[in-house]
């Protein structure tokens, strides 16, 4: 799932050392609910009136009691007007509605050995979030789009709506002939009714899943057929998307195949569809039928800056993590989201290469750190929430992904991926808890990892290290001191965790794994000569913040010899030596010729911050960089030089560059350097359609800059 979160700015002091903006421990404890029965199957029949934005429906429920003496069943039903409840023979059952539920009095008492069936008939005449009726616009056709996460299936289907209950499902939907209908599972039939101009789609989900994973999508879709061997893989898109959709989604079968091999578990469902929805922003998993925002289909120009490939991989991974195995309550939602987030990193490592993937994982880590330092810290497994959406944050997604990365480091690749495969096989089609995963780790690896999980899942926070070193020439000994300083935060432990230390010289590197367990520890290493560089956390396995004061010479060496995260860290640390000619020269060399785009971008940004007036030629060179993000950084740097003579250059860049991000920076640069005579140009630019309104927003910012400069 992809959601935006709004956070209230509260400025609460946390032990007087960290400004916390939200006290999430004021939220109520929310426990997994009790239930009286196990729902087995829902046979849902809907007659959809697109014009009136309503439906009549019925759900035939098959269930078995979990205890004896069941004589009443309560189902979730919000905004639904129930008109009738019938038993399996068609006889009416009495019922009442209240408290967002329908309470059904059964005709007799049932035991846990019984299976019973009844049918609820109802009308939905209100507009609800769980099933959006969306009007036609100039960019999208009229459509119906479901959004059942996390508990909104109840708004259009009377059901037991909690993830620990899994059902098989039929979706039988009647709608006007000019609309196509997508749902979960396999399409059994399309029945035409020539008399009323309607047809009926019959979809069947033969394997159990949770109600929040239900998909109903209706529109005049264009369906592009693809496959992975015998597995149907189809793309349901708008007519205007047809040209670009096959290219935008081309890697989908490849992703399914990759995850099948990675997890050691074959794709479990009967097909995989991706459907565009005007209601979605990013993506929302549904079993065998993922919903995607309209931006998922990109033109070749949009794809430069706004590729959805990572989101597509994340949602494909959900077909195993979230759909095959599902968190049994929302406190365990990391099993859905952390695994899917880590999976999209693993896909990028496989397909994009080590540097891109390492940069991606670093960005994920930094997203969590921003939330931890500026908003709140919480345990990953957390039962304090007012609504489940509060647990879908940067702790559930990137922090959990980085915890899995640490677990892989501790267990080793072979054991880690055997755990993954065993867990999926052992708990397939079930709702699971964190404890289930912990037991699986123990059973497969033979290792008691309880302390690891206690530290990283059940406590808030992360490690903060202060690292220092000292070389003793007389004894040829390098002393390394490592302090853990995160105990300034409440309930954050001193971690017991291994870490790799890399020692570099001209001939290569030597890596030593050490075990951390105390607040302050000292380690000694013998060498013939002092290492040219000491790398803390070689391989970037730990979720951490750290300081490690180094000389300018060591940082310059690190910029050349380390991996991408280490090089970017060293580039930033060179700010302490920003006046040094060697630093300026190194940033210049990197900006002009490094192999990895993020290093070039960082070098441009640092030159702009510290040596802009002398770096114009570097920025002009970078405007022709092959990567749009580097070009954008260069245009921004040029704009901040306050050189009105360059306005014609900015206009040319805006009109000729194929990147929306670069064009947006060119517009802002016009505002930084222009005057009222440029407002007409900017107002025209604000009318140009672009993904996420990139150009419109940039033009409006530029107009504001000019107007403010004239006040």
């Amino acid at each position: 799932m992809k959601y935006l979160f709004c956070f209230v700015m509260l400025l609460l002091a946390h032990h007087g050392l960290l400004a916390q903006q939200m006290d999430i421990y004021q939220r109520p404890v929310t426990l997994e609910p009790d239930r009286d029965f196990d729902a087995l199957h829902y046979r849902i029949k809907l007659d959809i009136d697109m014009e009136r934005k309503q439906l009549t429906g019925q759900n035939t429920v098959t269930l078995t009691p979990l205890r004896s003496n069941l004589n009443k069943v309560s189902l979730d039903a919000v905004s639904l007007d129930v008109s009738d409840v019938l038993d399996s023979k068609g006889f009416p059952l009495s019922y009442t509605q209240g408290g967002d539920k329908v309470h059904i009095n059964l005709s007799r008492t049932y035991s846990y050995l019984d299976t019973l069936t009844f049918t609820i008939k109802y009308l939905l005449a209100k507009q609800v979030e769980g099933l959006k009726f969306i009007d036609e616009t100039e960019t999208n056709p009229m459509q119906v789009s479901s959004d059942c996460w996390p508990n909104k299936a109840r708004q259009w289907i009377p059901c037991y709506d909690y993830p620990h209950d899994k059902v098989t499902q039929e979706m039988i939907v009647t709608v006007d002939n000019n609309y196509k209908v997508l749902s979960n599972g396999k399409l059994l039939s399309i029945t035409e009714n020539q008399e009323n101009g309607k047809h009926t789609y019959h979809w069947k989900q033969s394997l159990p899943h949770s109600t929040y994973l239900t998909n109903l999508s209706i529109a005049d879709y264009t369906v592009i057929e693809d496959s992975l061997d015998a597995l149907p893989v189809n793309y349901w898109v708008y007519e205007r998307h047809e040209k670009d959709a096959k290219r935008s989604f081309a890697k989908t079968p490849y992703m399914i195949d990759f995850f099948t091999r990675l997890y050691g578990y074959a794709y479990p469902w009967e097909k995989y569809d991706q459907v565009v929805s005007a209601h979605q922003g990013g993506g929302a998993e549904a079993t065998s039928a993922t919903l995607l925002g309209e931006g998922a289909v990109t033109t070749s120009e949009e794809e430069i800056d706004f590729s959805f490939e990572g989101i597509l991989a994340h949602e494909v991974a959900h077909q195993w993590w979230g759909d095959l195995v599902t968190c049994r309550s929302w406190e365990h939602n990391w099993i859905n989201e952390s695994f899917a987030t880590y999976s999209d990193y693993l896909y990028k490592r496989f397909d994009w290469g080590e540097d891109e993937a390492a940069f991606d994982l670093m960005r994920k880590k930094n997203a969590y750190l921003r939330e931890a330092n500026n908003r709140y810290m919480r345990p990953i497994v957390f039962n304090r929430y007012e609504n489940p959406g509060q647990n879908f944050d940067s702790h559930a997604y990137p922090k959990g992904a980085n915890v899995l990365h640490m677990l892989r480091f501790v267990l080793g690749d072979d054991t880690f991926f055997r755990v993954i495969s065993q867990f999926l096989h052992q708990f397939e089609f079930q709702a699971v808890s964190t404890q289930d995963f912990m037991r699986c780790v123990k059973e497969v690896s033979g290792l008691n990892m309880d302390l690891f999980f206690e530290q990283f899942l059940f406590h808030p926070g992360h490690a903060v290290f202060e690292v220092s070193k000292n070389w003793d020439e007389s004894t040829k000994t390098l002393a390394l001191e490592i302090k853990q300083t995160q105990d300034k935060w409440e309930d954050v432990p001193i971690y017991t965790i291994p870490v790799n230390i890399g020692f570099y010289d001209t001939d290569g590197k030597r890596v030593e794994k050490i075990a951390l367990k105390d607040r302050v520890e000292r380690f000694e290493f013998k060498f013939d000569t002092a290492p040219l560089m000491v790398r803390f956390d070689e391989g970037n396995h730990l979720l951490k913040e750290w300081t490690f004061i180094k000389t300018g010479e060591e940082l310059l060496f690190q910029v050349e010899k380390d991996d991408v995260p280490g090089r970017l860290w060293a580039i930033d640390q060179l700010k302490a030596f920003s006046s040094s000619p060697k630093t300026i020269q190194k940033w210049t060399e990197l900006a002009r010729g490094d192999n990895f785009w993020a290093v070039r971008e960082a070098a441009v940004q640092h030159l702009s911050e510290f040596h802009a007036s002398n770096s114009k030629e570097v920025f002009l060179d970078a405007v022709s960089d092959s990567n749009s993000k580097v070009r954008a950084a260069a245009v921004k740097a040029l704009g901040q030089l306050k050189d009105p003579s360059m306005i014609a250059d900015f206009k040319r860049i805006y009109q000729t560059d194929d990147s929306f991000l670069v064009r947006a920076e060119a517009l802002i640069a016009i505002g930084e350097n222009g005057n009222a005579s440029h407002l007409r140009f900017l107002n025209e630019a604000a009318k140009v359609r672009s993904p996420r309104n990139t150009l419109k927003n940039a033009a409006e910012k530029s107009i504001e800059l000019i107007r403010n400069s004239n006040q």
Side-chain angles (χ1 to χ4, degrees):
M1 289 283 173
K2 298 284 184 291
Y3 288 89
L4 298 177
F5 290 86
C6 296
F7 295 90
V8 181
M9 306 292 284
L10 293 179
L11 296 178
L12 297 176
H14 193 98
H15 278 241
L17 294 174
L18 180 68
Q20 291 284 332
Q21 297 176 335
M22 183 179 294
D23 184 1
I24 60 172
Y25 288 89
Q26 294 300 311
R27 295 173 181 169
V29 172
T30 303
L31 301 177
E32 178 182 346
D34 297 334
R35 55 181 175 143
D36 298 324
F37 57 86
D38 178 20
L40 303 177
H41 186 72
Y42 295 144
R43 193 173 193 268
I44 303 154
K45 296 181 69 175
L46 305 174
D47 195 325
I48 307 285
D49 189 327
M50 299 288 286
E51 296 297 329
R52 297 176 66 187
K53 298 181 180 179
Q54 66 180 40
L55 64 84
T56 56
Q58 65 180 49
N59 185 12
T60 299
V61 179
T62 302
L63 61 82
T64 185
L66 292 174
R67 297 178 298 279
S68 296
N69 302 318
L70 182 72
N71 57 19
K72 186 175 184 178
V73 169
S74 295
L75 296 177
D76 299 303
V78 177
S79 302
L80 304 177
D81 295 322
V82 176
S83 60
D84 216 351
V85 181
L86 306 175
D87 68 13
S88 60
K89 296 181 179 180
F91 294 110
L93 298 173
S94 65
Y95 66 92
T96 59
Q97 279 193 264
D100 291 337
K101 291 183 181 291
V102 55
H103 307 283
I104 301 163
N105 299 306
L106 303 176
S107 58
R108 66 177 179 86
T109 298
Y110 293 85
S111 82
Y112 62 89
L113 298 174
D114 295 319
T115 299
L116 63 142
T117 300
F118 56 84
T119 299
I120 307 172
K121 297 184 177 183
Y122 60 96
L123 169 70
L124 175 62
K126 301 176 182 178
Q127 299 309 301
V128 295
E129 290 293 318
L131 192 70
K132 284 279 192 178
F133 286 79
I134 300 170
D135 290 326
E136 181 179 4
T137 70
E138 62 178 4
T139 59
N140 67 262
M142 179 179 285
Q143 61 192 266
V144 168
S145 182
S146 60
D147 181 15
C148 295
W149 177 90
N151 53 13
K152 298 195 291 291
R154 65 187 70 183
Q155 295 179 357
W156 57 286
I157 306 167
C159 59
Y160 181 83
D161 195 15
Y162 199 80
H164 64 194
D165 189 54
K166 292 198 170 195
V167 297
T168 55
Q169 165 194 306
E170 291 173 82
M171 189 71 70
I172 305 166
V173 180
T174 300
V175 70
D176 291 343
N177 279 335
N178 52 324
Y179 297 102
K180 296 183 178 71
V181 179
L182 172 66
S183 190
N184 312 88
K186 183 178 181 180
L187 181 61
L188 298 184
S189 65
I190 305 174
T191 305
E192 302 289 340
N193 187 329
Q194 301 295 341
E195 294 182 3
N196 61 12
K198 293 188 174 185
H199 54 189
T200 300
Y201 278 71
H202 186 172
W203 292 90
K204 185 173 183 180
Q205 171 69 37
S206 299
L207 297 167
H209 72 158
S210 300
T211 49
Y212 80 90
L213 297 167
T214 304
N215 182 336
L216 177 61
S217 300
I218 304 172
D220 182 17
Y221 285 114
T222 295
V223 182
I224 299 173
E225 296 184 355
D226 203 349
S227 66
L228 173 63
D229 298 326
L231 177 72
V233 180
N234 299 323
Y235 317 130
W236 297 58
V237 297
Y238 306 158
E239 183 179 5
R240 68 179 175 87
H241 288 150
E242 186 168 7
K243 174 184 173 183
D244 295 304
K246 185 64 186 290
R247 187 200 70 259
S248 298
F249 296 155
K251 288 186 175 180
T252 304
Y254 174 72
M255 292 173 181
I256 296 170
D257 181 63
F258 168 70
F259 288 128
T260 290
R261 289 182 286 108
L262 182 73
Y263 304 146
Y265 190 107
Y267 179 81
W269 313 106
E270 293 162 310
K271 54 98 161 100
Y272 187 63
D273 289 312
Q274 291 173 145
V275 58
V276 171
S277 165
H279 179 54
Q280 288 296 326
E285 77 271 18
T287 309
S288 79
T290 289
L291 294 118
L292 295 169
E294 294 172 334
V297 181
T298 56
T299 65
S300 55
E301 292 80 15
E302 291 167 343
E303 195 169 49
I304 294 169
D305 303 311
F306 301 102
S307 170
F308 255 62
E309 191 171 342
I311 294 175
L312 298 184
H314 180 100
E315 302 303 337
V316 170
H318 268 309
Q319 299 302 308
W320 289 266
W321 302 102
D323 299 8
L324 177 65
V325 294
T326 308
C327 62
R328 66 175 303 110
S329 63
W330 298 117
E331 69 189 272
H332 303 288
N333 72 328
W334 79 285
I335 291 174
N336 296 20
E337 299 302 345
S338 301
F339 279 88
T341 303
Y342 192 55
S343 293
D344 78 59
Y345 154 76
L346 291 169
Y347 167 76
K348 290 169 185 171
R349 186 172 182 267
F350 173 75
D351 191 65
W352 295 9
E354 183 62 47
D355 287 349
E356 287 283 3
F359 182 71
D360 176 75
L361 192 63
M362 183 184 75
R363 292 179 64 188
K364 286 174 166 56
K365 179 198 75 173
N366 290 338
Y368 155 70
L369 291 175
R370 285 192 296 272
E371 182 168 271
N373 287 317
N374 299 321
R375 294 171 176 172
Y376 56 78
M377 293 182 186
R378 68 168 179 87
I380 288 177
V381 180
F382 194 56
N383 64 8
R384 287 186 175 272
Y385 54 87
E386 295 150 325
N387 62 78
Q390 291 175 328
N391 266 11
F392 286 76
D393 56 8
S394 288
H395 287 67
Y397 290 78
K399 181 181 182 181
N402 276 272
V403 169
L404 288 171
H405 194 60
M406 287 192 290
L407 179 63
R408 178 181 163 197
F409 168 58
V410 175
L411 293 179
D413 277 15
D414 176 70
T415 301
F416 177 81
F417 287 108
R418 284 195 297 112
V419 167
I420 295 304
S421 182
Q422 175 63 27
F423 186 68
L424 291 171
H425 282 89
Q426 183 175 347
F427 294 100
E428 58 186 0
F429 310 110
Q430 296 181 49
V432 295
S433 68
T434 301
Q435 289 74 20
D436 292 325
F437 183 71
M438 292 169 63
R439 281 193 297 273
C440 185
V441 170
K442 197 175 294 185
E443 290 167 2
V444 173
S445 71
L447 300 174
N448 185 338
M449 297 295 293
D450 290 354
L451 178 58
F452 177 94
F453 293 116
E454 179 65 27
Q455 295 176 126
F456 294 110
L457 296 182
F458 297 101
H459 282 269
H462 55 274
V464 180
F465 296 105
E466 291 180 5
V467 184
S468 60
K469 62 183 172 65
N470 181 66
W471 171 254
D472 188 329
E473 179 65 28
S474 64
T475 62
K476 304 293 185 181
T477 301
L478 186 140
L480 192 67
E481 184 175 86
I482 302 172
K483 297 180 181 178
Q484 297 191 45
T485 64
Q486 66 273 6
D487 58 347
K488 62 180 178 287
W489 297 314
E490 184 178 1
D491 204 31
V492 181
I494 297 299
Y495 293 98
T496 297
I497 189 74
V499 63
N500 282 343
I501 309 297
F503 303 99
Y504 288 67
D505 57 31
T506 54
D507 296 327
K509 66 180 177 182
R510 161 183 154 193
V511 179
E512 298 278 352
K513 180 179 285 189
I514 59 176
L516 303 178
K517 61 178 181 178
D518 296 323
R519 188 180 185 279
V520 181
E521 295 179 275
R522 180 182 172 89
F523 302 88
E524 292 187 349
F525 306 91
K526 294 285 189 178
F527 297 94
D528 293 333
T529 58
L532 296 175
M533 180 185 110
V534 178
R535 175 67 148 85
F536 178 70
D537 190 22
E538 173 74 29
N540 313 296
H541 300 291
L542 303 190
L543 176 60
K544 66 186 186 302
E545 293 181 276
W546 77 104
T547 57
F548 192 174
I549 305 301
K550 296 188 175 186
T551 65
E553 291 300 320
E554 183 174 356
L555 291 171
L556 291 168
F557 182 90
Q558 185 167 355
V559 165
E560 288 293 326
K561 300 298 184 181
D562 207 351
D563 56 22
V564 163
R567 297 177 67 213
L568 289 169
W569 179 85
I571 289 170
D572 188 64
Q573 294 296 300
L574 280 170
K575 291 188 297 187
F577 306 92
S578 61
S579 60
S580 166
K582 290 184 178 180
T583 295
I584 300 168
Q585 179 62 29
K586 180 56 63 178
W587 284 342
T588 300
E589 291 172 1
L590 296 172
R592 282 182 160 150
D594 195 83
N595 290 329
F596 190 62
W597 67 266
V599 173
R600 300 195 301 275
E601 178 190 39
V604 168
Q605 291 168 340
H606 282 73
L607 285 171
S608 177
E609 182 178 356
F610 293 100
H611 297 284
S613 60
N614 297 319
S615 302
K616 184 175 180 179
E617 291 302 317
V618 179
F619 304 150
L620 288 171
D621 289 346
V623 167
S624 301
D625 195 276
S626 60
N627 186 276
S628 63
K629 293 182 178 64
V630 181
R631 299 199 303 276
V635 173
K636 182 177 181 179
L638 288 168
Q640 292 173 346
L641 291 178
K642 304 295 184 182
D643 182 358
S645 69
M646 290 203 65
I647 288 179
D649 297 289
F650 297 139
K651 287 185 177 181
R652 175 186 54 79
I653 292 167
Y654 168 75
Q655 292 165 341
T656 60
D657 202 282
D658 56 4
S659 161
F660 287 100
L661 291 181
V662 176
R663 296 174 68 195
E665 287 295 349
L667 290 174
I668 294 171
I670 293 171
E672 295 272 13
N673 295 273
N675 54 45
S677 68
H678 302 107
L679 291 176
R680 181 176 179 181
F681 179 88
L682 294 169
N683 279 312
E684 289 301 312
K687 299 175 185 177
V688 178
R689 181 177 296 167
S690 61
R692 306 180 191 179
N693 290 320
T694 305
L695 298 182
K696 178 177 183 291
N697 294 338
E700 290 177 348
K701 179 177 180 179
S702 187
I703 291 167
E704 184 181 2
L705 286 169
I706 290 174
R707 288 176 175 166
N708 289 341
S709 68
N710 292 332
Q711 291 179 355

